[in-house]
Amino acid sequence: MKTIAYREIEGTSAGYYVLLGVLVVLIAIGGLSALYMEHEGHHVTGMTNQIVWGMPHVFAVFLIIAASGALNVASVGSVFGKTPYKPLAPLSGLLAVCLLMGGLIVLVLDLGRPDRLIVAMTSYNFKSIFAWNIFLYTGFLGITVVYLWFMMERRMNEYSSKAGLVAFVWRLILTTGTGSIFGFLVARSMYDSAVLAPMFIIMSLAFGMAIYLLVLFSAYHGTGRALGDATVRRLKNLLGVFIAAILLIVLIFHLTKLYGTQYHGVERFILLDGGIYTFLFWGVQIGLGCIVPLVLLYAPATASSRGAISLASVLVVLGGLAAMYVIIIGGQAYPIEMFPGWEVQSSFADGVVHEYAPSMYEIALGVGGTALALAMVTVGIKVLRFLPLSLADADVE
Amino acid sequence: MTRSRTPGRSANSPFGGKGALFAAIVVAMVAIPVAADVPAPKIPKGKGDKCVEPTPFMRRNHMELILHKRDETVHQGIRSTKYSLKECLNCHAVNDEQGQPVAFTDPRHFCTVCHSYASVSIDCFECHNSKPEPKAAATP
Amino acid sequence: MSKELTPTDSYRRRFLGGIGALAAAAFGSGVIVNVARARSPDEAVTGNQRWGMLIDTGKCADGCDECVKACNDENGVTGHGRPETDAQWIRTVTLREKATGRTTKLPMMCQHCEYPPCVDVCPTGASFRRDDGIVLVDKHLCIGCRYCMMACPYKARSFIHEVIMDQKHNAPRGKGTVESCTLCVHRIDKGETTTACQDACTKAGHNAILFGDLKDPNSEISKRLANEPSTQVRGDLGLNLGVRYQGI
């Protein structure tokens, strides 16, 4: 294998500045929205006392699990020793750090008292999965930064595969923790399932890979650097496997729920007559987010087209957001079964499906966090040497 | 300082124009608080002869006392009145022209007078009422 | 030593005997000794008490919401005319049994679990259970993440969605934090023996709500629980609730 030369991108083209400008505008809108929600209180959002977590959480959880998935390309190289993946690793680490920070900032800015973030750092309840996650997230950032340093600093190269192994194990625990935020909630019929943890891990692999592919394509197309077909084929095949795995785990999740009679109500709600949630589940999460991308990635007519692979990646991201919406919002919209066997009615929306209409502020905050993650990547590859000068097949293998 | 006004990098000044800007900011930060002669606040007098602790002690440590009392009250149900926020408000209420106690949003409020001078925000009144409890409903 | 008893000796004997009797009483029914004497304001609460409620749904009258009004008044739970986001510490729930069509009604509020899911999930420890069994939110620690609301099986908690002024002095509440029924903790700390909702229910002549100490075998609530059937809502979760219901 030849020595891979990494270089900063030039980053002086009009296209680069337009991209950065658009991202900065989106970040600003997101920031202003957060400020407005914080000042007015959450009544200006679509969130209520029934739907307590809304659009910010859809984006934040998506970004957080995509972050751990984005690190996967690096793990394939270092942990599983696949040489062709090694040149792809630095971007993988950078993307992971940026996506996590984007997701966390959305989560923090949605707090009722974001000004008290310091309390979350000084006062802990160690039985809380949230409290574990504070350590899992900060640990992930630290470990990934060290891993990046070991990869990019020649004198530390020999330790990079060990750091990669630590990062790989840590990211599995992190996504387990994120899935468990929901999995351990015994109160709500949609959650209360250990399957949510592995489901989040598998989803993270696909979401992270899709975003990685999109960023890689944009960067190499934008800079005119060579990107070999073999590399693209490897990555798109990985994405395909991950999508198939999502289908399997989602099937297992619903089968385990369907087996016990007590969950038939919520399963009927998601799978059959939940309106928007049923549409998002079948139409977007499964149809557009899994089936169509699989066809695009493997049908002979489109399998080698970069346009088709990009489209498949975009659809996986859309499907991912839909999956989060169904799990997070749908899981709350379905009424808590407090009195099994009874029909209930109250002033506090007991026994009815809860309405939720996301406000533009919430969406702007989520989009702003995503834009922040992408802006950090955009600036990162300009100031440091994350990207190989060439990923042409002859240079990689 | 005049030298570094030359635009661009000067051979004599390693930082050139940026150095001058930096120096100007530092000077401004030091000079403004000294120059702006804000009068010390006139602190309203409380009821009774003296506070629960000597005034100089209270000025420095009232937040510690309230914080300690706060945790005891919330977690252990200890409702003694010494060092309680309610008692602070009872003695230190400031009345408006109509003889009604003012809220913390009024610049005359006992807490607000000092806190706005010192530029320290008060978190207490995000949840607590900043006026004394009306006598009829007052509890021992 | 075996001679006649001096006055001092007999005093000692009576004194020691008294201590013995006191100790026997304390060991035999430790709770009574504690209840007999009201806690002074500077004394911490202990696990010798566990406050709870017994609600007889058969007595909860149709169309009555006196308990809700009394609670709102007692704790200054005011709305902004936005039912989706306004706080509700206590609400009345109407039930209809699917199989039989039997209807009943009950007030629903924080159940003051012994093993509260809200306390388990709270990242900062703002949700906590006081030694005497009352589950509270320490609003000084609450960062407004709302994970407790996700975890509560009873939808007992509300998030404060907008700025609040002129709070009741006994019930501080503010934007961006979570809150729920405090079992009128300020009354308990004063040594009072009823909650606002119970008072209102009694005043309305229904007597559906009874508040008391579950650990005091002589309290009315303990006696009734020992002799009459009662249930815990979602008892299958094993949370050991402080609020018990009859007639469902």
Side-chain angles (χ1 to χ4, degrees):
Chain A
M1 192 189 121
K2 298 174 190 170
T3 311
I4 301 287
Y6 297 91
R7 287 291 177 275
E8 303 90 341
I9 65 163
E10 209 171 289
T12 48
S13 67
Y16 181 85
Y17 284 113
V18 168
L19 171 67
L20 212 53
V22 169
L23 292 175
V24 167
V25 169
L26 291 176
I27 295 168
I29 295 174
L32 288 173
S33 301
L35 216 61
Y36 178 69
M37 288 190 281
E38 159 66 4
H39 183 76
E40 286 292 314
H42 273 64
H43 79 96
V44 297
T45 72
M47 289 176 271
T48 63
N49 280 326
Q50 315 303 334
I51 307 286
V52 300
W53 285 353
M55 219 50 188
H57 303 80
V58 171
F59 275 95
V61 177
F62 176 80
L63 289 171
I64 288 167
I65 64 174
S68 58
L71 194 64
N72 230 56
V73 177
S75 301
V76 176
S78 61
V79 179
F80 300 103
K82 302 286 182 204
T83 318
Y85 288 90
K86 288 195 172 159
L88 304 168
L91 176 64
S92 164
L94 174 70
L95 194 55
V97 168
C98 295
L99 288 173
L100 185 64
M101 286 170 71
L104 287 182
I105 204 138
V106 173
L107 211 53
V108 164
L109 288 178
D110 176 73
L111 290 177
R113 297 293 306 258
D115 53 319
R116 284 192 187 153
L117 188 61
I118 191 73
V119 174
M121 313 270 180
T122 51
S123 175
Y124 285 106
N125 164 28
F126 286 102
K127 203 180 173 186
S128 165
I129 299 151
F130 253 18
W132 307 348
N133 279 341
I134 293 170
F135 290 98
L136 291 174
Y137 296 152
T138 48
F140 181 82
L141 289 176
I143 289 169
T144 309
V145 167
V146 169
Y147 180 31
L148 276 173
W149 173 44
F150 285 5
M151 280 194 287
M152 296 169 77
E153 165 62 61
R154 192 160 304 171
R155 285 169 302 171
M156 306 306 283
N157 275 174
E158 54 179 312
Y159 305 112
S160 79
S161 65
K162 286 197 182 66
L165 181 66
V166 174
F168 178 66
V169 172
W170 195 274
R171 64 127 309 192
L172 289 180
I173 302 172
L174 182 145
T175 325
T176 303
T178 311
S180 302
I181 288 176
F182 301 95
F184 290 4
L185 292 178
V186 293
R188 294 176 190 265
S189 0
M190 177 75 174
Y191 310 134
D192 190 19
S193 165
V195 182
L196 278 165
M199 186 158 101
F200 272 47
I201 291 178
I202 290 171
M203 285 182 169
S204 80
L205 297 173
F207 305 163
M209 180 57 77
I211 296 177
Y212 184 90
L213 269 166
L214 289 171
V215 170
L216 188 72
F217 280 164
S218 313
Y220 277 73
H221 183 76
T223 54
R225 294 186 186 182
L227 176 60
D229 284 336
T231 298
V232 173
R233 194 171 55 247
R234 276 186 209 105
L235 293 177
K236 76 107 188 170
N237 281 341
L238 261 184
L239 180 61
V241 170
F242 295 152
I243 295 171
I246 289 186
L247 286 173
L248 174 68
I249 193 89
V250 169
L251 178 71
I252 295 171
F253 175 76
H254 287 288
L255 281 180
T256 55
K257 287 265 174 201
L258 279 167
Y259 205 81
T261 314
Q262 61 167 328
Y263 293 126
H264 283 185
V266 70
E267 282 301 315
R268 191 183 170 82
F269 176 69
I270 298 295
L271 302 179
L272 283 180
D273 54 17
I276 178 76
Y277 306 104
T278 304
F279 166 74
L280 285 175
F281 177 77
W282 289 113
V284 185
Q285 183 186 342
I286 300 297
L288 283 180
C290 292
I291 308 288
V292 176
L294 274 182
V295 172
L296 285 171
L297 294 175
Y298 290 109
T302 50
S304 52
S305 149
R306 293 189 184 186
I309 296 169
S310 303
L311 177 63
S313 301
V314 170
L315 290 175
V316 169
V317 170
L318 272 181
L321 286 167
M324 291 300 114
Y325 197 93
V326 170
I327 292 173
I328 297 174
I329 314 286
Q332 297 173 80
Y334 186 73
I336 289 184
E337 289 179 54
M338 218 175 295
F339 301 95
W342 297 77
E343 283 167 11
V344 292
Q345 207 187 340
S346 81
S347 59
F348 206 54
D350 285 288
V352 296
V353 171
H354 310 312
E355 301 288 330
Y356 173 68
S359 66
M360 59 179 187
Y361 310 110
E362 291 162 80
I363 297 170
L365 173 59
V367 171
T370 315
L372 179 69
L374 294 177
M376 287 191 290
V377 175
T378 310
V379 172
I381 57 176
K382 183 175 172 176
V383 296
L384 285 173
R385 299 175 173 181
F386 284 102
L387 295 178
L389 264 181
S390 164
L391 283 171
D393 292 343
D395 292 320
V396 175
E397 291 176 42
Chain B
M1 288 300 284
T2 44
R3 186 179 53 206
S4 53
R5 280 208 186 129
T6 333
R9 273 172 202 232
S10 116
N12 296 330
S13 157
F15 302 109
K18 280 179 192 165
L21 184 67
F22 179 72
I25 290 172
V26 169
V27 168
M29 282 165 68
V30 175
I32 287 171
V34 176
D37 196 12
V38 179
K42 274 183 71 179
I43 302 163
K45 201 170 154 14
K47 280 182 209 143
D49 297 334
K50 56 180 171 51
C51 197
V52 289
E53 298 290 344
T55 303
F57 180 86
M58 289 307 286
R59 281 196 183 147
R60 283 199 177 278
N61 300 302
H62 64 280
M63 63 299 263
E64 306 289 342
L65 298 176
I66 299 174
L67 184 74
H68 183 68
K69 178 66 174 53
R70 154 200 127 173
D71 291 342
E72 284 183 342
T73 304
V74 176
H75 292 263
Q76 298 175 296
I78 293 173
R79 303 259 183 177
S80 51
T81 49
K82 196 180 182 186
Y83 307 142
S84 85
L85 183 64
K86 272 190 193 174
E87 280 302 292
C88 299
L89 296 171
N90 283 343
C91 287
H92 290 287
V94 176
N95 288 344
D96 61 11
E97 294 78 9
Q98 282 80 43
Q100 294 301 310
V102 296
F104 78 109
T105 42
D106 188 301
R108 293 169 293 183
H109 189 274
F110 178 77
C111 304
T112 307
V113 167
C114 265
H115 273 262
S116 64
Y117 174 74
S119 223
V120 177
S121 66
I122 317 172
D123 203 21
C124 306
F125 303 127
E126 295 298 309
C127 290
H128 287 274
N129 197 318
S130 61
K131 300 178 201 169
E133 198 166 10
K135 270 289 170 286
T139 51
Chain C
M1 289 295 286
S2 59
K3 288 171 192 157
E4 250 178 77
L5 290 173
T6 64
T8 323
D9 284 334
S10 74
Y11 168 75
R12 272 188 193 150
R13 187 166 284 183
R14 265 182 292 139
F15 179 72
L16 290 172
I19 287 184
L22 211 73
F27 279 109
S29 51
V31 193
I32 309 169
V33 173
N34 266 293
V35 171
R37 186 178 52 82
R39 188 164 57 85
S40 83
D42 55 359
E43 241 177 302
V45 293
T46 66
N48 292 332
Q49 276 122 4
R50 182 172 182 210
W51 301 109
M53 266 186 185
L54 177 61
I55 292 163
D56 187 343
T57 60
K59 293 180 181 164
C60 184
D62 279 343
C64 173
D65 63 347
E66 290 300 320
C67 55
V68 179
K69 283 193 256 174
C71 175
N72 290 348
D73 193 44
E74 176 83 14
N75 297 295
V77 183
T78 50
H80 297 84
R82 288 185 268 268
E84 291 287 301
T85 49
D86 285 343
Q88 293 193 27
W89 289 19
I90 180 173
R91 61 190 190 270
T92 60
V93 180
T94 311
L95 296 104
R96 184 180 164 278
E97 194 166 26
K98 286 180 201 160
T100 61
R102 182 167 85 90
T103 60
T104 187
K105 180 169 158 278
L106 53 83
M108 193 73 211
M109 75 298 272
C110 174
Q111 303 286 296
H112 299 278
C113 313
E114 185 181 0
Y115 307 106
C118 58
V119 174
D120 290 344
V121 301
C122 177
T124 65
S127 281
F128 70 101
R129 183 178 175 277
R130 227 166 68 145
D131 284 346
D132 57 359
I134 305 177
V135 175
L136 294 171
V137 181
D138 183 345
K139 287 177 198 211
H140 308 103
L141 295 180
C142 178
I143 56 174
C145 74
R146 316 185 300 279
Y147 196 16
C148 55
M149 300 175 72
M150 293 290 279
C152 177
Y154 307 101
K155 293 208 303 174
R157 289 201 160 170
S158 292
F159 180 66
I160 306 185
H161 286 76
E162 42 205 306
V163 175
I164 295 176
M165 295 293 277
D166 275 326
Q167 299 89 335
K168 285 280 156 88
H169 287 77
N170 284 324
R173 28 195 322 260
K175 187 191 77 184
T177 55
V178 173
E179 59 182 7
S180 58
C181 159
T182 63
L183 222 48
C184 284
V185 63
H186 54 281
R187 286 176 166 229
I188 297 175
D189 285 346
K190 267 189 280 176
E192 293 180 27
T193 53
T194 57
T195 60
C197 55
Q198 174 179 357
D199 283 354
C201 192
T202 308
K203 200 176 160 199
H206 304 310
N207 295 310
I209 302 176
L210 174 65
F211 168 84
D213 183 0
L214 302 175
K215 284 197 177 170
D216 174 3
N218 293 315
S219 68
E220 198 189 340
I221 189 170
S222 295
K223 286 180 189 162
R224 274 183 57 192
L225 283 169
N227 294 308
E228 301 167 24
S230 68
T231 42
Q232 304 182 26
V233 177
R234 288 298 310 270
D236 59 315
L237 296 174
L239 305 175
N240 187 11
L241 309 184
V243 179
R244 315 289 172 93
Y245 290 87
Q246 295 184 313
I248 48 166

